[in-house]
Amino acid sequence: MFKVGIIGATGYVGVELLRLLLNHDKVTVTAISSSTFKDEEISSVYKSFFNKTTLVCKDKSDVIDKCDVIFTALPHGLSEEIAAEAISKNKKVIDLGADFRLECEDSYEEWYGKKFTCKDIHKNSIYGLPEFNGSKVKEFNIVANPGCYPTSISLGLMPLLKNNLINTKNIICDSKSGITGAGRGLSLKTHFAEANENFAAYGIGSHRHTPEIEQTLSYMANENVEVTFTPHLLPVNRGILSTIYCQPKDKLTLEEIHEIYKKQYENEEFVHVLPLGQTAEIKHVKYTNNCHISIHQNYRKNKIIIISVIDNMVKGAAGQAIQNMNLLLDLPQNTGLKLIAPSF
Amino acid sequence: MFKVGIIGATGYVGVELLRLLLNHDKVTVTAISSSTFKDEEISSVYKSFFNKTTLVCKDKSDVIDKCDVIFTALPHGLSEEIAAEAISKNKKVIDLGADFRLECEDSYEEWYGKKFTCKDIHKNSIYGLPEFNGSKVKEFNIVANPGCYPTSISLGLMPLLKNNLINTKNIICDSKSGITGAGRGLSLKTHFAEANENFAAYGIGSHRHTPEIEQTLSYMANENVEVTFTPHLLPVNRGILSTIYCQPKDKLTLEEIHEIYKKQYENEEFVHVLPLGQTAEIKHVKYTNNCHISIHQNYRKNKIIIISVIDNMVKGAAGQAIQNMNLLLDLPQNTGLKLIAPSF
Amino acid sequence: MFKVGIIGATGYVGVELLRLLLNHDKVTVTAISSSTFKDEEISSVYKSFFNKTTLVCKDKSDVIDKCDVIFTALPHGLSEEIAAEAISKNKKVIDLGADFRLECEDSYEEWYGKKFTCKDIHKNSIYGLPEFNGSKVKEFNIVANPGCYPTSISLGLMPLLKNNLINTKNIICDSKSGITGAGRGLSLKTHFAEANENFAAYGIGSHRHTPEIEQTLSYMANENVEVTFTPHLLPVNRGILSTIYCQPKDKLTLEEIHEIYKKQYENEEFVHVLPLGQTAEIKHVKYTNNCHISIHQNYRKNKIIIISVIDNMVKGAAGQAIQNMNLLLDLPQNTGLKLIAPSF
Amino acid sequence: MFKVGIIGATGYVGVELLRLLLNHDKVTVTAISSSTFKDEEISSVYKSFFNKTTLVCKDKSDVIDKCDVIFTALPHGLSEEIAAEAISKNKKVIDLGADFRLECEDSYEEWYGKKFTCKDIHKNSIYGLPEFNGSKVKEFNIVANPGCYPTSISLGLMPLLKNNLINTKNIICDSKSGITGAGRGLSLKTHFAEANENFAAYGIGSHRHTPEIEQTLSYMANENVEVTFTPHLLPVNRGILSTIYCQPKDKLTLEEIHEIYKKQYENEEFVHVLPLGQTAEIKHVKYTNNCHISIHQNYRKNKIIIISVIDNMVKGAAGQAIQNMNLLLDLPQNTGLKLIAPSF
């Protein structure tokens, strides 16, 4: 059994990670930390854990010392120093925040308003999107776990970009996320009476996931990719649906494109390309690490429309982090992640 | 007092129309009809009306005979003959279905699978989008009330198109609608346990509102406009939010575009252009005839993003129909429609 | 036109009051106040009011000075001094908080933890439940507007208690409220991701509305009434449904009880007794000042079960306050309150 | 590996059972049947199963022939004959319908309108509520899996009844259920736009679970128990919360009662008695086989109030059926059921 721990275990991502790790056969959650709920039992913070675990939130140093793999689920800017300390002790780190996602420090400064704190350790890190570069993850000590929106969009576009099939300067990503993406912090926007029966966009044209999306897509395309990305807040707990519009370069039929998608993902446990004529829906992937992708075009057949859905808390955060952990530990990718979505 | 009536009063659009008309000072609802609930009191079909009205659903001929203005809220294909009979008796007709929306019979046949039944009366009809062509409505006997999606999109794009500011061949309309748009008919898609906590697109690239949208936008632009339109189903009762992406022709600043929008709508009671920096949300227009529009761009400033929100049942259906009725009857447009959205 | 104003206009009750008063024909909202949003336009706090009113939040003294009728929508303990000042200037006050609801100072102290601040003005106040004691309201300067739960329960039980038909020591009130009852203040309990898809009781056996309920019911019964009251939080914005269990003294049939209810409320505009066999539902009264009551029994016929539903923000707060204002001003009770529930 | 199968696999209970059984280590789902979707892959009926199983819906005889344990998830009246055939072939049957729940044929006829079809096999059946009589389950060939409401209420009251602590003739059970309890069948009551933002009771005083509840409680109390039971429909997918009011016989303190509850359930994996002062909530048990119970009293201390929550589809149906299967197969009760509720 490997020993794992979570720094920032009481945020929404942290607690979802804990829930999934407790059902993972090959690891033991040895320590968790929380600055807000230090010394409290996790089962008193989240009563779902009542009688299911006796873990107590301790200091982050406790996690670093006792665990082989350390998950950091923290606001951006707080993980670099932790990672530096951990890898100095030969631990592995999986960061669910933004600290290691952008390779370019200037870009990080532009979008997050600060420079890298521990610049030298970034070379030890990899942006770990398993279906794109999973085979390399094991070679690194730090894995930057992708953001939720970038995951849905990158998986949705990878086959088109790798095969050079679309105009890389005219991509529209219209994404809609369940409200847990906004976290546990209180705000009027996430106050029930305000969010319920409402729907709105936010961060229009300037959301911080934009450079991360463009970085990944550019690697896939092997050229500079530009996207217009608009996130919206759905009045549901979980799920992201991205509707992606792009302009085909070639006159491929929808059937041909569909074949390319199926081929790309034929050996992937978690990414499922739906048969033509079907439409991906959030409910079919909720509470799982799956991504469903459906492929469409407009009636003039001059736009390709991709629908990509994931659970923002699982494939978009905690589940993908475990998938990355499995890669680090040389376990089958689906260990602890053989989840089927409840139909309701 | 004018006498008005509703044919198809027990569908969702019909009953919303009835609710609003009962609070209208200048008209009396004299007759209503329903094929499903013939001879039943409306208050037994919808208990919200208990003790509020004694209206009984009668035959459609009852409505035609007793009323000056007749609203038809029926599935497509059922309104033409009713309208023909009504105008032969010098009545006015406002059709909330699709029968008179498309001017081109070939287009109607292509999208709705049938030819016009009463072709000769179409010349007596006008597509009544008051903020676009309200001054002409009075000259016609039949008003085609716009569809819900087309209303949100047309109002959102009118200033750009009238001023020739965007590429008319590369417009993306990503729309999200509350579930009442799917009506009262039972289906698995609208079964609570299936729709709740779910989100999905439908009719991707081929929804019947597409030609209607393109027809209106083309009039506005005075050239052929092409859109890619994707509707989605939101797990809320009411509201439509359209996120519209377009490519500017000129290097206008966002401030200049905003001024053009404000000028366009400065005398309109129902269309409100939000200050720059604010974002239109569904909750601010629910249960009202208002349309809120906000204007944005992506961070590269090469895409304009318009958010346009309405209540699909009011400005997108029953409220706009009453606005058209007010125009027909030479009443102030806002009569019976001075509604403020409840904040929750 | 009477001049009215709201102290505490930006809380949920205050803003609902404003919305309804702006549509009231016989009054003008002359001033509003808010301590949190002082000097801000209400339309910037609640964008539903955008272009609908130019009212700005001022100081409470502004409201007291400029208005004939003053609504106070404040946390308990803050209204007494305002009321004292207002009535000294010959104004009328309608308090939507708890300050004047309990007649007995000891009881107030027991449940609210403080004594009356201005004890001498309490004699000028009346607990204004219009269907119970509406004819007396006009004689007072201060009206204590009933709480939301007490309104639903009092109207549900009045006919049984006035006619001495039930055991007054064994009444169970199991109430379920929409989340707006918890107000605009942020809390984990009302955080969307926590409240959505959840359901829970709170304040079990010890909610502050208990003594208010018992006070009103005791007046109705003309003897000491004891209730067990459990409130629950529903994941909906609006509405209260109270399921009330009581033990009949006599062997009246359900039909006879139903007749007694119908007779009690036959002249009331807002209280509707449903036909036997029907069941009151929240959706039929939402956004209205109506109360729907349905009457049932268990299969052994030894318990009477009453279902009473209201909109917690209208009949349970702002609407009933306007009804009380109409009584004070000698206007028909339904002025400004002729609302029909939207069916969805 | 044991071979198991489901007759009625495409209803909500059936499909939940399938989802849970596919994650059960010790059994293989060998066959499933559906009359509506015969010969269709389950993954085309419920896309959550896409790429997760290739099971195809076959005839019920296929299930009976191929499986050791057969689950029947059918409308009442359809399981008796299947069970008769199955046990004649030495199979075990777990019925999730109502056919074997009531022991008394007269009672069954009174509440379900028909007599037993295969009267002689009822002696081979047991009402399997594991925490009450789990040790006996193994001796029978047919297990009647308890209804969802009865499960929440029976577990909530067992300690009080077994210890003879309350008046058995004055028990009020006010229950609220998520909408999946109404199944997959379409109805206006479960149409999204009707159920959303609504709340209502149904079957007041006469729901078919009443005799089942009374039968179980009477066994627990060893005397005739009478309950007044009112179910309500919550606008959430899952969960049941029962608020139970009873009258104590003795002057036990809340602390003493709490100790009795803790003792009763100290060795139970799935039933958790919350610490005094905490309140059971639906979200803490969703998607699990757990039951949370909290204990309260009114302020006069003359009523005990029990809150009992379960997931209606798991502990209230499919999960408890698997728990019963584990008992039948001599597996640890929690095999395949070690589920922790997602916190959102």
Side-chain angles (χ1 to χ4, degrees), chain A residues 25-61:
Chain A
D25 282 346
K26 305 296 182 195
V27 306
T28 302
V29 183
T30 308
I32 59 175
S33 82
S34 163
S35 50
T36 318
F37 297 98
K38 196 158 168 317
D39 297 326
E40 286 192 45
E41 286 195 63
I42 188 71
S43 67
S44 79
V45 184
Y46 287 96
K47 290 179 198 157
S48 317
F49 292 94
F50 189 69
N51 279 8
K52 302 297 175 192
T53 177
T54 56
L55 281 165
V56 172
C57 298
K58 297 286 187 182
D59 203 82
K60 64 188 173 190
S61 61

XYZ file of all heavy atoms in Angstrom, chain A residues 25-61:
289
model
N -7.946 0.795 -3.731
C -7.400 -0.435 -3.144
C -5.911 -0.384 -2.811
O -5.437 -1.131 -1.963
C -7.543 -1.587 -4.157
C -8.945 -2.111 -4.177
O -9.709 -1.781 -3.258
O -9.279 -2.837 -5.130
N -5.181 0.421 -3.530
C -3.722 0.323 -3.446
C -3.068 1.439 -2.651
O -1.836 1.516 -2.591
C -3.131 0.323 -4.878
C -3.697 -0.755 -5.777
C -3.357 -2.147 -5.259
C -3.895 -3.229 -6.186
N -3.876 -4.554 -5.524
N -3.848 2.337 -2.107
C -3.253 3.419 -1.318
C -3.977 3.561 0.022
O -5.135 3.179 0.158
C -3.309 4.784 -2.051
C -2.682 4.696 -3.441
C -4.737 5.309 -2.155
N -3.261 4.102 0.965
C -3.841 4.440 2.260
C -3.698 5.939 2.472
O -2.608 6.483 2.288
C -3.091 3.725 3.394
O -3.155 2.321 3.144
C -3.703 4.042 4.750
N -4.788 6.580 2.821
C -4.696 8.002 3.156
C -4.128 8.092 4.564
O -4.790 7.747 5.545
C -6.060 8.699 3.052
C -5.908 10.198 3.338
C -6.671 8.492 1.673
N -2.904 8.564 4.634
C -2.170 8.526 5.897
C -2.277 9.835 6.670
O -2.223 9.854 7.893
C -0.691 8.207 5.591
O -0.651 7.048 4.772
C 0.089 7.950 6.859
N -2.435 10.920 5.953
C -2.550 12.208 6.641
C -3.272 13.206 5.752
O -3.187 13.140 4.524
C -1.170 12.746 7.001
N -3.990 14.117 6.396
C -4.641 15.215 5.666
C -4.409 16.495 6.449
O -4.180 16.464 7.666
C -6.161 14.982 5.490
C -6.861 14.843 6.861
C -6.425 13.746 4.642
C -8.377 14.721 6.762
N -4.462 17.610 5.746
C -4.311 18.879 6.459
C -5.351 19.885 6.000
O -5.934 19.768 4.921
C -2.912 19.463 6.232
O -2.877 20.139 4.996
N -5.588 20.844 6.859
C -6.501 21.945 6.560
C -6.116 23.095 7.458
O -5.908 22.902 8.663
C -7.946 21.520 6.844
O -8.783 22.653 6.947
N -5.982 24.286 6.898
C -5.660 25.410 7.781
C -6.907 25.889 8.526
O -6.850 26.281 9.677
C -5.017 26.555 6.990
O -5.787 26.852 5.856
N -8.056 25.805 7.870
C -9.294 26.282 8.505
C -9.786 25.344 9.599
O -10.355 25.791 10.594
C -10.418 26.405 7.437
O -9.862 26.983 6.257
C -11.576 27.241 7.947
N -9.624 24.058 9.394
C -10.221 23.092 10.329
C -9.145 22.260 11.028
O -9.348 21.087 11.318
C -11.208 22.188 9.586
C -12.363 22.930 9.007
C -12.380 23.312 7.670
C -13.448 23.288 9.798
C -13.443 24.008 7.123
C -14.526 23.986 9.264
C -14.521 24.349 7.917
N -8.023 22.866 11.304
C -6.916 22.156 11.932
C -7.377 21.464 13.221
O -8.121 22.042 14.015
C -5.782 23.148 12.248
C -4.452 22.495 12.547
C -3.299 23.475 12.326
C -1.992 22.950 12.895
N -2.073 22.327 14.214
N -6.947 20.235 13.391
C -7.252 19.426 14.576
C -8.706 18.969 14.660
O -9.115 18.373 15.655
C -6.853 20.154 15.874
C -5.354 20.384 15.933
O -4.593 19.532 15.424
O -4.926 21.424 16.454
N -9.487 19.237 13.634
C -10.853 18.699 13.629
C -10.886 17.406 12.822
O -10.162 17.237 11.846
C -11.836 19.702 13.002
C -12.146 20.873 13.923
C -13.327 21.696 13.415
O -14.347 21.103 13.017
O -13.213 22.930 13.423
N -11.763 16.502 13.245
C -11.996 15.297 12.440
C -12.677 15.688 11.141
O -13.594 16.519 11.142
C -12.909 14.334 13.193
C -12.220 13.619 14.335
C -13.055 12.425 14.793
O -13.260 11.495 13.981
O -13.500 12.436 15.954
N -12.278 15.079 10.067
C -12.924 15.379 8.789
C -14.412 15.019 8.870
O -15.268 15.682 8.267
C -12.228 14.653 7.618
C -12.785 15.118 6.269
C -12.349 13.144 7.722
C -12.401 16.501 5.882
N -14.749 14.016 9.668
C -16.153 13.608 9.760
C -17.004 14.610 10.519
O -18.229 14.530 10.506
C -16.268 12.232 10.412
O -15.865 12.310 11.758
N -16.367 15.561 11.202
C -17.205 16.598 11.810
C -17.359 17.777 10.853
O -18.332 18.532 10.937
C -16.632 17.045 13.160
O -15.558 17.935 12.976
N -16.439 17.909 9.922
C -16.559 18.973 8.916
C -17.523 18.536 7.807
O -18.380 19.292 7.363
C -15.175 19.324 8.325
C -15.299 20.488 7.351
C -14.169 19.641 9.424
N -17.382 17.312 7.374
C -18.270 16.726 6.358
C -18.890 15.473 6.964
O -18.229 14.441 7.071
C -17.486 16.372 5.094
C -17.061 17.561 4.274
C -15.795 18.117 4.407
C -17.942 18.131 3.358
C -15.415 19.210 3.632
C -17.564 19.225 2.585
C -16.295 19.760 2.729
O -15.926 20.841 1.973
N -20.159 15.564 7.332
C -20.772 14.451 8.061
C -20.985 13.214 7.203
O -21.355 12.156 7.719
C -22.069 14.923 8.697
C -21.762 15.896 9.840
C -22.996 16.427 10.510
C -22.650 17.695 11.292
N -23.847 18.527 11.487
N -20.779 13.325 5.911
C -20.809 12.134 5.058
C -19.787 11.105 5.519
O -19.937 9.921 5.270
C -20.453 12.504 3.618
O -21.086 13.686 3.240
N -18.720 11.578 6.185
C -17.657 10.665 6.606
C -17.905 10.088 7.997
O -17.077 9.334 8.503
C -16.304 11.395 6.577
C -15.837 11.757 5.193
C -16.104 12.997 4.656
C -15.150 10.829 4.416
C -15.682 13.337 3.376
C -14.723 11.153 3.138
C -14.995 12.414 2.614
N -19.016 10.437 8.607
C -19.336 9.951 9.947
C -19.244 8.423 10.003
O -19.883 7.725 9.212
C -20.745 10.424 10.324
C -21.110 10.184 11.758
C -20.489 10.893 12.779
C -22.070 9.239 12.098
C -20.827 10.675 14.115
C -22.405 9.006 13.422
C -21.784 9.726 14.427
N -18.426 7.923 10.896
C -18.202 6.480 11.064
C -17.478 5.832 9.886
O -17.376 4.617 9.821
C -19.522 5.724 11.297
C -19.972 5.810 12.739
O -19.387 6.550 13.540
N -21.018 5.074 13.090
N -16.994 6.617 8.928
C -16.304 6.043 7.772
C -14.795 6.238 7.845
O -14.043 5.504 7.218
C -16.831 6.675 6.468
C -18.329 6.513 6.253
C -18.743 5.058 6.119
C -20.252 4.906 6.026
N -20.696 3.521 6.183
N -14.340 7.246 8.562
C -12.907 7.450 8.740
C -12.697 8.252 10.018
O -13.560 9.035 10.407
C -12.264 8.208 7.559
O -10.867 8.412 7.864
C -12.897 9.565 7.329
N -11.541 8.041 10.628
C -11.231 8.815 11.840
C -10.135 9.840 11.572
O -9.568 10.412 12.500
C -10.760 7.867 12.968
O -9.648 7.115 12.464
C -11.869 6.921 13.376
N -9.862 10.097 10.301
C -8.810 11.056 9.954
C -9.077 12.430 10.567
O -10.204 12.915 10.563
C -8.694 11.194 8.435
C -7.925 10.083 7.712
C -8.190 10.143 6.217
C -6.420 10.188 7.990
N -7.992 13.029 11.049
C -8.063 14.354 11.650
C -7.200 15.296 10.806
O -6.133 14.919 10.332
C -7.542 14.308 13.101
C -7.429 15.715 13.692
C -8.452 13.421 13.953
N -7.674 16.512 10.613
C -6.901 17.486 9.853
C -5.698 17.942 10.682
O -5.861 18.438 11.799
C -7.755 18.709 9.511
S -9.161 18.308 8.486
N -4.522 17.761 10.107
C -3.299 18.164 10.804
C -2.611 19.256 9.992
O -3.158 19.798 9.039
C -2.364 16.951 10.940
C -2.943 15.834 11.774
C -2.911 16.204 13.241
C -3.337 15.018 14.112
N -3.356 15.396 15.527
N -1.388 19.519 10.373
C -0.590 20.509 9.680
C -0.061 19.942 8.356
O 0.116 18.737 8.202
C 0.593 20.867 10.583
C 1.136 22.219 10.231
O 0.572 23.228 10.692
O 2.102 22.256 9.441
N 0.235 20.828 7.416
C 0.733 20.345 6.119
C 2.044 19.574 6.264
O 2.310 18.640 5.514
C 0.879 21.488 5.125
C 1.898 22.532 5.508
C 1.840 23.734 4.564
C 2.770 24.810 5.102
N 2.620 26.101 4.417
N 2.851 19.938 7.253
C 4.129 19.229 7.430
C 3.882 17.765 7.774
O 4.661 16.887 7.403
C 4.960 19.898 8.521
O 4.254 19.850 9.743
